[in-house]
Amino acid sequence: MICDSALSREFVQQGRSASCPVIDVHVHLGPVYAGWMPKWSIDGLIDTMDQAGVEVSVLCPHSALFSPDIGNDETIEAARRHPGRIRGYLGINPAHPRNIEKDLSNFGRNRDLLAGLKMLASYHRVLMDDDAYRPAWEFADAHRLPVLCHTWGSDGSEQSLRNVATRHPNARIIMAHALHGLWDDAIDMAKRFENVHLDLCAVLDDRGPVEKFVKAGLVKRLLFGTDNPWFHPHQGIGALLSADLTDEDRQDILHRNARRLFGATIP
Amino acid sequence: MKFLDCNCFVGTPVHRDIWSPVDAKALVGQMDQAGIAKALVWHIAQLELHPSVGNDLLLRDIEPFKDRLIPRLAIPCPHTDEMGDMDEWFARALSTGVGAMQICQPRGSYLVRPEVVGGIARKLLQHQIPLIYSIERGGNWNELYDLLKAFPELRIIISDLGVWPADRMFRPLLDLYPNVMVEISQYFVPGGVESNVMRYGAGRLLYGSGFPACYHGALMLLTAHAKISEADKAAIAGGNLQRLIEQVRP
C-alpha cells in the first residue's frame, strides 16, 4: 500500500518507523481562534507524536504568537514537562519590543529548553527586515540559532528574508511553508543562501513541490514540519511515501536534516 | 483494507500548476501503485469549461476502465437550455453508472439556492444520488446550510474542506441532517477522525485523495492508523462509498 519501499511498509504496518524517528520542526500548541483541534493540549500533542513515531517536536504555542499577555510562558512549561520530546521556539512579536528584550535576556537561563526563535511576520504585520526585529536577528546571528519564519506566497517575506539572510549569515533561517506557492523563488533562496532551509509544513498537501525541491538538489535542506495540532504527521508522512522519492531522501527529510541543523539543542 | 477514492479527477487544467495532470489510464496506474481499488472521478473541464462538455470528456476517458472508475457527473443549469428535459437528463446520467453528482461553481455558474436547484434536489432524492459539495472549489457554508434547510434528506458529501480545521462549520450539519457526510482529503487535524467517529459513528466520513493535486498516501496512512476499530477504518476507507454507490436507484 502507498508505495513499494521498506520505509513505506514499516509506516503502513506500524504507523511509525524504528529506523526513521521523525523530527517535527514546526509545531504549535493550545487553543487558537482559527478552528477547533481535538488534540491541541500538550498531552494530546504527545499522543499524536507517539502515534506517528515523532521523536521530537520543536514548538511555539499559539499563545506565544497571539497573546502578549501570556507570552512565552507555555513554551517553557511544555519543554520543561517533556524534556526528552519537546523543545521550544521563543515567539517574537515585533509589536512589543520590551517583551522581546526581556525574553531574549532570559534565553540563556532556559537554553536547555529552547532551540530557536519563531517569527510570524505577516500575521504581526511587520516585515522581517524591519528594525523592530533587529534585536532578535542580532541575537540569532550571535548564537547561530535556527529561526522559524512564516513565509507564504507574496506576503513580503521573500525580499525581507533576502535582506536578513545577507545581514545575518550565522542565523539559521527556516522558511516555514517554503514560500508556499512561489516554489521557484524558494529554490532560488535556498541555493543563494547557505543559511536558508525549507520547511515542508503545508507544502505536502500539494503534489509536486517536494519532488521539485529534491530535483533542484536541495534534499539536504528540507525539513519536516506539520503545524501539529493543525495537521497530523501521518498526512505529511503519507504524502512523502507517495511522492517520487527514495527512502534515503525521506530519511533526510524526516529527521537527518533537522538533527544536523539543530545539533545538540534537541534531544 | 480496501480503499475507494471519493475525490479525484482527470483532465488537463487551463492553468499550469505544480502537480502534473493525469488521464484515466495514468490515474489507474497511480491507483495500482497506491493500492486504491476504485475511484469516483470527475473531469477538470466540468469546472473550467462547461458541465456537459466535461461530462462527455469524462465518460469517453474512463470508458476502458469502467470496472475501476465511476463517473461523478456535473449538473448543468436546469433553467436554461443547457440541461434539456430534466427527467431525460437524469435517465441518461443514470445509464452511465453515475455514482455521485456535483454542481460546479465557477464564476457565472447558477446559484445553489433552493429556488434554483429545487428540481435537481428532488431528482437527487428520488434516485438517492449523493451530491458532492466542494467548499474550496466555489462553495460556501451559508449556501450549503440554506440548501439543507430546504432539503434536509439530501445525501450531501461535503468535499475539499480547506486545510484549516472545519469542525465548527460541518458539525452543526452532521448534528442536524443524517444524510450529510464529509470527504476527508483536506481533513487531517489530529484526533479529528477519532472524535467524529465517536460522536457520529464511522458512516459519516469518506476517504478521498484529491489526486492528482494531492497525494494518494496522505489520508491513506492517516485512515489506516486512526485510533478506531478496524471495521470503522474499513467503512471510511471504502465501505461507505461502496454502499452509497450501490444505493443509487435507477
Side-chain angles (χ1 to χ4, degrees), chain A residues 85-114:
Chain A
R85 307 294 299 281
I86 301 290
R87 286 292 180 273
Y89 292 111
L90 200 66
I92 301 293
N93 183 341
H96 301 281
R98 283 188 187 168
N99 290 1
I100 297 176
E101 191 184 328
K102 187 186 83 180
D103 285 339
L104 292 177
S105 69
N106 287 334
F107 193 96
R109 198 179 307 155
N110 297 305
R111 191 67 187 88
D112 55 329
L113 307 174
L114 296 170

Coordinates of all heavy atoms in Angstrom, one line a residue, chain A residues 85-114:
Chain A
R85 N 11.2 15.2 24.7 CA 10.4 15.2 23.5 C 10.2 16.6 22.9 O 9.9 16.7 21.7 CB 9.0 14.6 23.8 CG 9.0 13.2 24.4 CD 9.6 12.1 23.6 NE 8.8 12.0 22.3 CZ 7.6 11.3 22.3 NH1 7.1 10.7 23.4 NH2 7.0 11.1 21.1
I86 N 10.2 17.6 23.7 CA 9.8 18.9 23.3 C 10.9 19.9 23.5 O 11.6 20.0 24.5 CB 8.6 19.4 24.1 CG1 7.4 18.5 24.0 CG2 8.2 20.9 23.7 CD1 6.7 18.5 22.6
R87 N 11.1 20.8 22.4 CA 11.9 22.0 22.6 C 11.1 23.1 22.1 O 10.2 23.0 21.3 CB 13.2 21.9 21.7 CG 14.3 21.0 22.3 CD 14.8 21.5 23.7 NE 15.8 20.7 24.2 CZ 15.5 19.6 25.1 NH1 14.3 19.4 25.4 NH2 16.5 18.9 25.5
G88 N 11.5 24.3 22.5 CA 10.6 25.5 22.2 C 11.3 26.5 21.3 O 12.6 26.6 21.2
Y89 N 10.5 27.2 20.5 CA 11.0 28.4 19.8 C 10.4 29.6 20.6 O 9.2 29.6 21.0 CB 10.3 28.5 18.4 CG 10.8 27.6 17.3 CD1 9.9 26.6 16.9 CD2 12.0 27.6 16.8 CE1 10.2 25.7 15.9 CE2 12.4 26.7 15.8 CZ 11.5 25.8 15.3 OH 11.8 24.9 14.3
L90 N 11.2 30.5 20.9 CA 10.8 31.7 21.5 C 10.0 32.6 20.5 O 10.5 33.0 19.5 CB 12.0 32.5 22.0 CG 11.8 33.5 23.1 CD1 11.4 32.8 24.4 CD2 13.1 34.3 23.3
G91 N 8.7 32.8 20.8 CA 7.9 33.6 19.9 C 8.3 35.1 19.9 O 8.4 35.6 21.0
I92 N 8.5 35.7 18.8 CA 8.9 37.1 18.7 C 7.8 37.9 18.1 O 7.4 37.7 17.0 CB 10.2 37.2 17.8 CG1 11.3 36.3 18.3 CG2 10.6 38.7 17.7 CD1 11.9 36.8 19.7
N93 N 7.3 38.8 18.9 CA 6.2 39.7 18.4 C 6.8 41.1 18.3 O 7.0 41.8 19.3 CB 5.0 39.7 19.3 CG 3.8 40.5 18.8 OD1 4.0 41.4 18.0 ND2 2.7 40.2 19.3
P94 N 7.0 41.6 17.1 CA 7.7 42.9 16.9 C 6.9 44.1 17.4 O 7.4 45.2 17.5 CB 7.8 43.0 15.4 CG 6.7 42.1 14.8 CD 6.5 41.0 15.8
A95 N 5.6 43.9 17.7 CA 4.8 45.0 18.2 C 5.1 45.3 19.6 O 4.7 46.3 20.2 CB 3.3 44.6 18.1
H96 N 5.9 44.4 20.3 CA 6.1 44.6 21.7 C 7.6 44.4 22.0 O 8.0 43.4 22.5 CB 5.3 43.6 22.5 CG 3.8 43.8 22.3 ND1 3.1 44.7 22.9 CD2 3.0 43.1 21.4 CE1 1.8 44.7 22.4 NE2 1.7 43.7 21.5
P97 N 8.4 45.5 21.7 CA 9.9 45.4 21.8 C 10.3 45.1 23.2 O 11.4 44.4 23.4 CB 10.4 46.7 21.3 CG 9.2 47.6 21.2 CD 8.0 46.7 21.1
R98 N 9.6 45.6 24.2 CA 10.1 45.3 25.6 C 10.0 43.8 25.9 O 10.8 43.2 26.6 CB 9.2 46.1 26.6 CG 9.6 47.5 26.7 CD 8.9 48.3 27.8 NE 9.2 49.7 27.7 CZ 8.6 50.6 28.4 NH1 7.6 50.3 29.2 NH2 8.9 51.9 28.3
N99 N 8.9 43.2 25.4 CA 8.8 41.7 25.6 C 10.0 41.0 24.9 O 10.5 40.0 25.5 CB 7.5 41.2 25.0 CG 6.3 41.6 25.8 OD1 6.5 42.3 26.8 ND2 5.1 41.2 25.4
I100 N 10.3 41.4 23.7 CA 11.5 40.8 23.0 C 12.7 40.9 23.9 O 13.5 39.9 24.1 CB 11.7 41.4 21.6 CG1 10.4 41.2 20.7 CG2 12.9 40.9 21.0 CD1 10.5 41.9 19.4
E101 N 13.0 42.1 24.3 CA 14.2 42.4 25.1 C 14.2 41.5 26.3 O 15.2 40.8 26.6 CB 14.2 43.9 25.5 CG 15.5 44.3 26.1 CD 15.3 45.8 26.6 OE1 14.5 46.6 26.0 OE2 16.0 46.1 27.6
K102 N 13.1 41.4 27.0 CA 13.0 40.6 28.2 C 13.2 39.1 27.9 O 14.0 38.4 28.6 CB 11.7 40.8 28.9 CG 11.5 40.1 30.3 CD 10.1 40.2 30.9 CE 9.3 39.1 30.3 NZ 7.9 39.1 30.7
D103 N 12.5 38.6 26.9 CA 12.6 37.2 26.5 C 14.0 36.8 26.1 O 14.5 35.8 26.4 CB 11.6 36.9 25.4 CG 10.2 36.8 25.9 OD1 10.0 36.6 27.1 OD2 9.3 36.9 25.0
L104 N 14.6 37.7 25.3 CA 16.0 37.4 24.8 C 17.0 37.4 26.0 O 17.9 36.6 26.1 CB 16.4 38.4 23.8 CG 15.7 38.3 22.4 CD1 16.2 39.4 21.5 CD2 15.9 36.9 21.8
S105 N 16.8 38.3 26.9 CA 17.7 38.3 28.1 C 17.5 37.1 28.9 O 18.4 36.7 29.7 CB 17.5 39.6 28.9 OG 16.2 39.5 29.6
N106 N 16.3 36.4 28.9 CA 16.1 35.2 29.7 C 16.5 33.9 28.9 O 16.4 32.8 29.4 CB 14.6 35.1 30.1 CG 14.3 36.1 31.2 OD1 15.2 36.5 32.0 ND2 13.1 36.5 31.3
F107 N 16.8 34.1 27.6 CA 17.0 32.9 26.8 C 18.1 32.0 27.4 O 17.9 30.8 27.4 CB 17.4 33.4 25.4 CG 17.4 32.3 24.3 CD1 16.3 32.1 23.5 CD2 18.4 31.4 24.2 CE1 16.2 31.1 22.5 CE2 18.4 30.4 23.2 CZ 17.3 30.3 22.4
G108 N 19.2 32.6 27.8 CA 20.3 31.8 28.3 C 19.9 30.9 29.5 O 20.3 29.8 29.7
R109 N 19.0 31.5 30.3 CA 18.5 30.8 31.5 C 17.7 29.5 31.2 O 17.7 28.5 31.9 CB 17.7 31.7 32.4 CG 17.5 31.3 33.8 CD 16.6 32.3 34.5 NE 17.1 33.6 34.4 CZ 16.4 34.7 34.6 NH1 15.1 34.6 34.8 NH2 16.9 35.9 34.4
N110 N 17.1 29.6 30.0 CA 16.3 28.4 29.6 C 16.9 27.7 28.3 O 16.2 27.1 27.5 CB 14.9 28.9 29.2 CG 14.2 29.4 30.4 OD1 14.0 28.7 31.4 ND2 13.7 30.7 30.3
R111 N 18.2 27.8 28.2 CA 18.9 27.4 27.0 C 18.6 25.9 26.7 O 18.6 25.4 25.6 CB 20.4 27.6 27.1 CG 21.1 27.4 25.8 CD 20.7 28.4 24.8 NE 21.2 28.2 23.4 CZ 20.6 27.5 22.5 NH1 19.5 26.8 22.8 NH2 21.2 27.3 21.3
D112 N 18.5 25.1 27.8 CA 18.3 23.7 27.6 C 16.9 23.4 27.1 O 16.6 22.2 26.7 CB 18.5 22.9 28.9 CG 17.7 23.5 30.1 OD1 17.4 24.7 30.1 OD2 17.4 22.7 31.0
L113 N 16.0 24.3 27.2 CA 14.6 24.1 26.8 C 14.2 24.7 25.4 O 13.2 24.4 24.8 CB 13.6 24.7 27.8 CG 13.8 24.2 29.3 CD1 12.9 25.0 30.2 CD2 13.6 22.7 29.4
L114 N 15.1 25.7 25.0 CA 14.8 26.4 23.8 C 15.7 26.1 22.6 O 16.9 25.9 22.9 CB 14.9 27.9 24.1 CG 13.8 28.5 25.1 CD1 14.2 29.9 25.5 CD2 12.4 28.4 24.5

